[in-house]
Amino acid sequence: MSGKTYDYLFKLLLIGDSGVGKTCVLFRFSEDQFNSTFISTIGIDFKIRTIELDGKKIKLQIWDTAGQERFRTITTAYYRGAMGIMLVYDITNSKSFDNIKNWIRNIEEHASSDVEKMILGNKCDMNDKRAIAKESGQTLAVEYGIKFMETSAKASINVEEAFYTIARDIKRKMDSRMDSNTTAKNTIVVAEQTKQKTGFIDRWCSIL
Ligand code: GTP
Ligand code: MG
């Protein structure tokens, strides 16, 4: 029996302004807990959670970046290896929403071109302090062709759904790529066999 405890390993990244709740969203997903004291992330950190999709074990390695500008060089270095990126803003903070465009630009510059993306409008439990309408988030996401969800790490809303959705999208992309790879390999094998056969017939005919 192999010691491998998973079928797939997906590397995900959380980005967005400082204070939007990236660490809390991840903490909710990995430990199902919430902390209301703000401890700003220094540099980069990660958590692991294994989920199951279509009977396959998917190990999610989720990198949590610091939103603070002074860590930008370190955090940007992690874009390249990411298969999925969550762009997080805070629905009570319009600056964090406006900045999503800049975060997308960072992705375009530093991440792989086929990386899966998702926009999360976090802190949706704070409706009384809302600065960004849900429709604005949706419109922005449609503009970029990215999926969107409002989440709350505190009230545990849509956190599971968000990670499962991005994982499903990555898996779908990977499976279809594997299918086309297999098809390509099979085509080569058949072509090779045909070549060998015709070579044999050619030699046979020349003997005759
Ligand atoms: P950096 O590490 O500096 O980039 O910030 P961050 O995006 O990781 O923010 P963090 O998760 O540390 O949360 C910032 C503050 O927002 C903390 O005080 C959290 O308790 C609070 N917070 C996070 N998520 C939620 C949420 O869903 N609802 C509410 N009401 N507060 C939240
Ligand atoms: Mg953090």
Side-chain angles (χ1 to χ4, degrees):
M1 213 179 88
S2 115
K4 210 166 146 196
T5 52
Y6 57 89
D7 302 295
Y8 296 81
L9 171 68
F10 291 173
K11 294 178 187 180
L12 308 179
L13 191 73
L14 289 162
I15 64 173
D17 284 10
S18 178
V20 298
K22 299 178 294 298
T23 301
C24 287
V25 166
L26 184 51
F27 194 45
R28 171 61 71 194
F29 184 65
S30 62
E31 334 282 331
D32 199 15
Q33 287 179 38
F34 178 75
N35 190 349
S36 56
T37 46
F38 182 16
I39 305 161
S40 204
T41 304
I42 304 291
I44 191 140
D45 199 3
F46 79 94
K47 296 243 182 267
I48 301 271
R49 183 174 153 188
T50 304
I51 62 166
E52 204 166 305
L53 286 179
D54 316 317
K56 300 278 185 208
K57 287 211 162 47
I58 323 271
K59 182 173 175 172
L60 302 177
Q61 185 185 80
I62 311 162
W63 293 89
D64 174 26
T65 63
Q68 287 179 51
E69 183 72 46
R70 64 194 172 111
F71 298 113
R72 211 48 49 84
T73 318
I74 309 171
T75 55
T76 308
Y78 286 80
Y79 283 48
R80 184 74 53 207
M83 298 151 93
I85 301 182
M86 298 282 203
L87 294 122
V88 189
Y89 69 89
D90 169 355
I91 67 145
T92 71
N93 176 345
S94 52
K95 183 86 199 309
S96 74
F97 177 72
D98 296 340
N99 269 335
I100 289 290
K101 287 195 162 91
N102 299 326
W103 289 110
I104 291 177
R105 205 168 308 131
N106 276 355
I107 295 178
E108 285 165 355
E109 264 178 52
H110 302 285
S112 149
S113 61
D114 62 352
V115 67
E116 286 293 332
K117 297 177 280 289
M118 195 163 178
I119 297 175
L120 304 183
N122 190 43
K123 307 197 188 179
C124 73
D125 57 285
M126 292 174 90
N127 226 344
D128 49 333
K129 298 226 172 62
R130 180 187 282 277
I132 302 296
K134 191 174 178 181
E135 291 68 33
S136 307
Q138 270 158 347
T139 307
L140 181 74
V142 167
E143 201 181 300
Y144 284 99
I146 304 177
K147 283 187 185 165
F148 166 76
M149 267 182 207
E150 278 199 350
T151 58
S152 168
K154 186 178 182 180
S156 192
I157 301 169
N158 276 342
V159 175
E160 291 272 306
E161 288 77 358
F163 284 103
Y164 271 82
T165 300
I166 201 162
R168 210 174 288 121
D169 288 347
I170 295 170
K171 183 171 180 295
R172 196 175 300 129
K173 189 179 272 179
M174 202 176 249
D175 289 346
S176 73
R177 204 172 288 167
M178 268 194 258
D179 278 352
S180 62
N181 245 338
T182 313
T183 311
K185 274 187 203 137
N186 286 344
T187 312
I188 293 167
V189 169
V190 170
E192 201 54 45
Q193 284 169 346
T194 311
K195 214 164 77 189
Q196 281 170 8
K197 271 185 201 147
T198 42
F200 175 74
I201 293 165
D202 283 349
R203 281 197 299 279
W204 185 243
C205 287
S206 66
I207 293 166
L208 291 176

